[in-house]
């Protein structure tokens, strides 16, 4: 051991040859592995595209609100023109409200599917 310290020194490098002696060399093994999972693209880009898609899907909710306003505005106008048709106008109004609200809920459903199911 003294011969080794004298010849190699404390740094482990041979002063004569500039290399470590064979006893200090660690064996190097080449490891080859294969990938079993799918490579994901940049996750921030994927998240941003989800937000953009969900925002585009919720634009229909504004249309639903405008449709509901139009339905009830037409109810008031129709009732003002002919009060005797109140029950028939109200049944048409409820049908128009339900269809318009359903379209808004479908838009929200698609937005949530984009955000949480994809």
């Amino acid at each position: 051991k003294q011969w080794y310290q004298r010849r190699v020194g404390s740094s482990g490098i041979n002063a004569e040859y500039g290399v470590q002696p064979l006893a200090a060399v660690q064996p190097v093994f080449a490891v080859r592995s294969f990938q079993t999972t799918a490579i994901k693209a940049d996750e921030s880009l994927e998240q941003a595209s989800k937000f953009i898609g969900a925002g585009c899907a919720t634009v229909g909710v504004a249309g639903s609100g405008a449709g509901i306003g139009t339905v009830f505005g037409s109810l008031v106008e129709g009732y003002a023109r002919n009060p005797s048709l109140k029950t028939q106008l109200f049944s048409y109004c409820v049908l128009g409200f339900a269809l318009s609200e359903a379209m808004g809920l479908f838009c929200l459903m698609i937005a949530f599917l984009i955000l949480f199911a994809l």
Side-chain angles (χ1 to χ4, degrees), residues 38-88:
I39 298 174
K40 288 194 105 178
D42 189 16
E43 289 186 15
S44 61
L45 179 65
E46 182 180 344
Q47 192 70 21
S49 63
K50 282 183 179 183
F51 288 147
I52 291 170
C56 292
T58 55
V59 169
V61 176
S64 173
I68 291 170
T70 303
V71 165
F72 282 108
S74 297
L75 172 70
V76 170
E77 184 181 337
Y79 182 66
R81 287 178 186 248
N82 194 352
S84 64
L85 294 176
K86 178 180 179 183
T87 56
Q88 187 178 3

Side-chain angles (χ1 to χ4, degrees), residues 8-111:
V8 175
S10 61
S11 65
I13 298 174
N14 192 334
E16 250 180 79
Y17 302 109
V19 294
Q20 292 183 347
L22 290 177
V25 173
Q26 299 279 331
V28 178
F29 297 105
V31 177
R32 196 167 218 202
S33 62
F34 58 94
Q35 186 170 349
T36 58
T37 57
I39 298 174
K40 288 194 105 178
D42 189 16
E43 289 186 15
S44 61
L45 179 65
E46 182 180 344
Q47 192 70 21
S49 63
K50 282 183 179 183
F51 288 147
I52 291 170
C56 292
T58 55
V59 169
V61 176
S64 173
I68 291 170
T70 303
V71 165
F72 282 108
S74 297
L75 172 70
V76 170
E77 184 181 337
Y79 182 66
R81 287 178 186 248
N82 194 352
S84 64
L85 294 176
K86 178 180 179 183
T87 56
Q88 187 178 3
L89 288 176
F90 188 73
S91 65
Y92 289 150
C93 177
V94 169
L95 180 64
F97 168 77
L99 292 175
S100 185
E101 186 71 22
M103 292 309 293
L105 290 175
F106 289 149
C107 292
L108 281 177
M109 181 186 66
I110 294 299

